[in-house]
Amino acid sequence: MNSSAERPALVPVAPGVHAYVQPDGSWMINNTGVVLGSDDSLLLVDTTSTEARNRALLASVAAVTSADPGYVVNTHHHGDHTFGNWLVPPSTVIIGHEACREDVIGSGLLAAQVLTGPDYGHIEVRPPSLTYTKSLTLHLGTRVVELHHPGPAHTRGDTVVWLPDDRVLFTGDLVFAGGQPFLAEGSILGYLSALAFLRSFHADVLVPGHGPLLRGDDITRVLDDLVAYTTYLYDQANAGHAAGKTPMQVAREAEPTRFASWQESERFVGNIHRAYHELDGKPLTERVDLVRVWTDMTELHGGPITCHA
């Protein structure tokens, strides 16, 4: 776990609503959410990566409610958002987009095998047991919780969680605040559409999948930055694709930009791979070669990609 100055914190964002924020938001160190219903029910937005981090999350939740979680919403399939599903009671309903369930099962524990370094402890695969395709509304007493699928973006099975009465939006990894987004398993053009979708909520508080909480003008600033990054990346990919260059050549030859200082800058070449896939006219449901993507990302990083979860 991180040093005491960087410990995860349960932050109130509305009455009965908390964000569980884990600094520094890098690989496998994600944010989650805690939503209490007027009927004393409990919904969690995501779990986290290692056994220790998941037990710490549940201990923090126990400090604000004695209820067992009735629901866990997985915003997508990646292990830092799902590896703790097994720790909630068997009666807890795990909810996700239908593609999220498929990819939780298909990916297994791959993330822990690729991002080595942390002590993951005991982890198991527990996929969503309740799935949806476009939207789903939960009623926790009088509290309304809306789930929406923006289309392929960060992954093909993303979910955003919207609390309309509180104007709080949990975005999962559609938003990395301070880090480059990872789009190799989603869609470049779909991601731009998803960012516009996020704006349409006019949220007062946005809880990103990684990084600090966003409020007010900071929401606009970060969404503007992510649009600028993705537009730049797609322009670079278009030019490189037309010139017959490899994704790694495009990444190596790119002029320095402010985006290079964002965390996980190695994701740039992975995102170029995804852009090439779309420029080749291949279906969004078809996966890119993640082994090749990870090999290029590792090379661009200059060695093994570190993870401090």
Side-chain angles (χ1 to χ4, degrees), residues 15-251:
V17 183
H18 297 74
Y20 186 72
V21 180
Q22 295 198 102
D24 61 351
S26 56
W27 286 108
M28 302 299 281
I29 304 177
N30 65 307
N31 301 328
T32 69
V34 180
V35 181
L36 302 176
S38 66
D39 56 358
D40 295 326
S41 57
L42 170 62
L43 177 147
L44 303 181
V45 181
D46 284 328
T47 55
T48 186
S49 54
T50 70
E51 181 180 2
R53 286 185 179 275
N54 278 299
R55 292 194 182 279
L57 164 64
L58 294 177
S60 292
V61 173
V64 297
T65 178
S66 61
D68 286 333
Y71 308 95
V72 172
V73 176
N74 287 152
T75 59
H76 60 290
H77 73 279
H78 289 155
D80 49 337
H81 298 258
T82 61
F83 278 174
N85 287 357
W86 74 275
L87 271 171
V88 299
S91 59
T92 303
V93 178
I94 312 293
I95 305 173
H97 186 265
E98 60 182 8
C100 173
R101 173 181 164 82
E102 292 171 5
D103 289 342
V104 167
I105 295 169
S107 297
L109 302 178
L110 178 64
Q113 298 159 13
V114 171
L115 284 161
T116 58
D119 177 3
Y120 284 94
H122 182 80
I123 51 177
E124 297 178 13
V125 175
R126 181 177 172 184
S129 57
L130 174 62
T131 62
Y132 76 100
T133 55
K134 187 58 180 176
S135 295
L136 178 68
T137 300
L138 303 174
H139 298 270
L140 309 183
T142 58
R143 169 159 272 147
V144 176
V145 180
E146 297 178 6
L147 312 183
H148 298 285
H149 173 57
H154 170 60
T155 69
R156 67 191 188 104
D158 296 314
T159 291
V160 300
V161 180
W162 171 235
L163 308 182
D165 295 334
D166 305 289
R167 309 208 64 76
V168 175
L169 185 65
F170 294 88
T171 67
D173 288 359
L174 294 176
V175 176
F176 288 81
Q180 291 202 16
F182 183 55
L183 309 176
E185 294 185 272
S187 166
I188 305 300
L189 295 179
Y191 186 61
L192 286 170
S193 295
L195 293 173
F197 181 63
L198 296 182
R199 276 189 214 276
S200 72
F201 290 97
H202 302 289
D204 291 339
V205 182
L206 186 152
V207 183
H210 297 257
L213 295 178
L214 302 174
R215 303 175 188 267
D217 291 343
D218 282 340
I219 297 175
T220 301
R221 174 183 57 80
V222 169
L223 294 180
D224 285 348
D225 279 349
L226 290 170
V227 169
Y229 167 89
T230 310
T231 302
Y232 168 76
L233 179 138
Y234 198 63
D235 287 346
Q236 292 292 304
N238 261 310
H241 188 269
K245 296 179 180 179
T246 67
M248 181 59 83
Q249 286 175 313
V250 174

Side-chain angles (χ1 to χ4, degrees), residues 27 113-118 252 264 266 294-308:
W27 286 108
Q113 298 159 13
V114 171
L115 284 161
T116 58
R252 291 285 193 202
E264 293 84 44
E266 65 273 4
W294 197 261
T295 299
D296 278 2
M297 286 172 55
T298 301
E299 181 181 338
L300 190 64
H301 182 74
I305 296 170
T306 54
C307 175
H308 304 291

